Amino acid sequence: MVNQKKALVIFTALLLMLAGVIADIFYSKHHEAKKRAERAQFHGTLLDAPRPVKAFSLIGTDGIPFNQTSLKDQWTMVFFGFTRCGFVCPTTMAELGKMYRLLEEKHVWPLPRVVMISIDPARDDLAALRKYVTAFHPDFYGARGTEKMTKAMTTALGIAYAKVAAHPNAPAPSDDIEHTGALMLFNPAGKLAAFFTRPHQAKTLGDDYHWLIKHPHITSE
């Protein structure tokens, strides 16, 4: 009789353990399915895990150092461009300006910090950069660094750019720069959480940003 009771206790314990395992598997699958469904609403590309950025040191258009610490405690949208850009930069910055105003109209809070980092620091001084970015929105910010630092930062983030010689018969021959027009979104922890490839549309960018800040668990550590 004692052995039967002992066997019954062991059998019951095993059943409970099995039930727990099944429940964990069910919850895990349900949770992952829910997360995939949520992520499907995002038009850009979400990183599975936010990625820290390598140390960098730039100077902002306000004369203050801009580095990895500057990315913390706020959402930051970063674009790499240059003031003499003929198409990619002005169209991207214009869409960012429209996006920002749409977010303001909807009273979205917090608003992202929009930063353009120059990939042409030899020709983009701080005054020119400030004038350029604020033309698209007075709250936009710019930063520049050395050629070496800019190249290291863009390489680490997967941003490609290269100088190309303009046509020799052009009215004012000068080097141009071909570059990707991706936008990088950093979370308040200062880590890369998502990126957006061209073509950019203000409403889509705004919707993605608004959605992401309402679902912070999607990009949790």
Side-chain angles (χ1 to χ4, degrees), residues 154-217:
T154 53
T155 299
L157 291 172
I159 299 293
Y161 72 95
K163 291 184 178 180
V164 292
H167 193 280
N169 295 327
S174 63
D175 288 343
D176 195 6
I177 300 176
E178 291 186 353
H179 63 108
T180 54
L183 295 169
M184 304 283 154
L185 182 62
F186 294 85
N187 65 18
K191 296 183 178 182
L192 181 63
F195 64 89
F196 310 86
T197 54
R198 297 177 57 232
H200 301 301
Q201 295 183 341
K203 185 179 185 306
T204 302
L205 290 172
D207 288 346
D208 273 0
Y209 175 75
H210 194 191
W211 179 87
L212 192 55
I213 64 174
K214 291 195 298 184
H215 298 79
H217 60 284

Side-chain angles (χ1 to χ4, degrees), residues 2 15 35 76 80 93 112 124 128 162 176 182 184 186 189 196 212 214-215 221:
V2 173
L15 283 178
K35 192 171 183 179
T76 307
F80 290 87
M93 293 297 291
D124 285 345
D176 195 6
M184 304 283 154
F186 294 85
F196 310 86
L212 192 55
K214 291 195 298 184
H215 298 79
E221 301 301 315

